[in-house]
Amino acid sequence: MVTLDIRTLVVRILEVILTCISFSLVASVGHSTASFWTWCMFTWCFCFCVTIIILVLELTSLSAKLPISWDDFTTAFAMLATLMVLAASIIYPVFYTCPSCGRQIGASVTSCLAFILYAVEVGLLRAKPGEISGFMSTVPGLLKVLEAFVACIIFICLDYNHFSRFPGLQWCVAVYSVCFIFALLVIVFTICRLLTLFPAPFDKVLTVCNALAVLMYITAVVIWPLYSFKNNPRPSNCKNGITGRCPWDNLVVITFMTCFNLAAYIADTVYSFRLVFFVSRT
């Protein structure tokens, strides 16, 4: 309790309260089997449960006895929760609120407030004076969580019947999968303190893999829209609104997320290159 930051403690308690209010309000409206509704409910419940577990482990000092890097774990989760709650805060009000839907609007507001709190927590965990931050508290570490999260969005939108017809699209799926697996391995190895198992210096391995990921994503940025939209306009029977969503819209989402992840990998590569070849020599 002595080493526990009171600001972080207050922020996490508020996160628990707001996420609990969000899924409680949505559950009181009724149940739905729609994928977007399920995603939002899973996000709030997941963040609520994990935040409570983190609070209990820190308040009982059990976190110090776990065989993991606790700072890296909490930072990675805070970043992941920020992205997940942000997505839920956008998706739910777009598809499930209306001017007369009081509880849905309330859930959207509390979700937005929870997103702000998780973003504040990320800032607090990265700004600890006098402490040596773990890898997940650095910009490359946070970018790895972002890259993995965006890849998950892409996987959710993929349709096997679509990409299985074209070798080019299969290559794009391979790019998403390989880069996602590497990002996930970096996160897991960092949290579990297994970076010493790398056969070469970790920072140099990370830089090389990030550069390869940039090259692979460049091909995906070109190939995915080329094969997906060539002679494939938006079907006329795809209407706007909740009931009018169609698989074609997922192609647009994947295209945008591919470009977004390319930008993230470029930033990751530039930052890692700077740390390896410039900062380490000074």
Side-chain angles (χ1 to χ4, degrees):
M1 286 293 295
V2 177
T3 59
L4 186 60
D5 188 355
I6 187 64
R7 297 174 302 173
T8 306
L9 176 63
V10 172
V11 167
R12 285 174 179 162
I13 292 175
L14 293 176
E15 291 166 355
V16 169
I17 296 173
L18 291 174
T19 51
C20 180
I21 294 174
S22 296
F23 71 72
S24 298
L25 287 173
V26 173
S28 66
V29 176
H31 181 267
S32 174
T33 58
S35 58
F36 284 165
W37 187 93
T38 304
W39 163 260
C40 295
M41 283 294 287
F42 169 78
T43 294
W44 296 319
C45 294
F46 171 76
C47 295
F48 169 80
C49 294
V50 177
T51 305
I52 282 186
I53 293 174
I54 290 175
L55 280 172
V56 171
L57 291 177
E58 289 196 338
L59 291 173
T60 57
S61 299
L62 292 176
S63 59
K65 300 179 180 179
L66 297 176
I68 63 173
S69 175
W70 184 252
D71 288 338
D72 284 322
F73 170 73
T74 54
T75 304
F77 169 73
M79 182 63 179
L80 178 62
T82 301
L83 297 172
M84 293 178 67
V85 176
L86 172 61
S89 301
I90 296 173
I91 292 172
Y92 189 80
V94 168
F95 291 103
Y96 299 102
T97 60
C98 62
S100 60
C101 302
R103 284 176 288 184
Q104 291 91 329
I105 294 175
S108 301
V109 172
T110 55
S111 181
C112 292
L113 293 176
F115 156 69
I116 295 174
L117 288 173
Y118 278 112
V120 170
E121 183 183 352
V122 173
L124 291 175
L125 293 175
R126 294 195 66 238
K128 292 184 178 181
E131 295 185 13
I132 300 176
S133 299
F135 172 75
M136 298 309 302
S137 298
T138 63
V139 173
L142 297 177
L143 285 173
K144 277 287 166 281
V145 179
L146 176 62
E147 293 157 3
F149 175 78
V150 173
C152 289
I153 299 288
I154 293 175
F155 293 145
I156 293 173
C157 297
L158 284 174
D159 181 6
Y160 176 79
N161 294 326
H162 175 71
F163 71 78
S164 61
R165 295 180 296 170
F166 305 103
L169 297 184
Q170 294 174 21
W171 161 255
C172 294
V173 175
V175 170
Y176 305 143
S177 302
V178 170
C179 295
F180 169 76
I181 292 172
F182 175 74
L184 190 62
L185 286 176
V186 170
I187 295 172
V188 172
F189 273 50
T190 301
I191 293 175
C192 296
R193 298 175 178 175
L194 299 175
L195 295 180
T196 54
L197 298 179
F198 277 85
F202 173 69
D203 52 353
K204 294 183 179 180
V205 172
L206 191 64
T207 303
V208 172
C209 291
N210 285 336
L212 292 176
V214 169
L215 297 177
M216 294 171 68
Y217 258 90
I218 288 176
T219 63
V221 166
V222 176
I223 294 175
W224 181 267
L226 179 64
Y227 279 87
S228 296
F229 301 115
K230 185 178 181 180
N231 300 322
N232 183 27
R234 193 172 194 269
S236 58
N237 58 352
C238 286
K239 301 178 182 179
N240 296 323
I242 302 175
T243 60
R245 289 189 295 110
C246 63
W248 191 91
D249 296 331
N250 290 336
L251 303 179
V252 179
V253 175
I254 294 173
T255 302
F256 174 78
M257 289 300 174
T258 302
C259 297
F260 186 89
N261 234 10
L262 172 61
Y265 275 107
I266 291 175
D268 198 355
T269 303
V270 171
Y271 204 95
S272 300
F273 187 86
R274 174 177 173 272
L275 290 178
V276 172
F277 295 99
F278 292 95
V279 176
S280 60
R281 294 182 179 180
T282 58

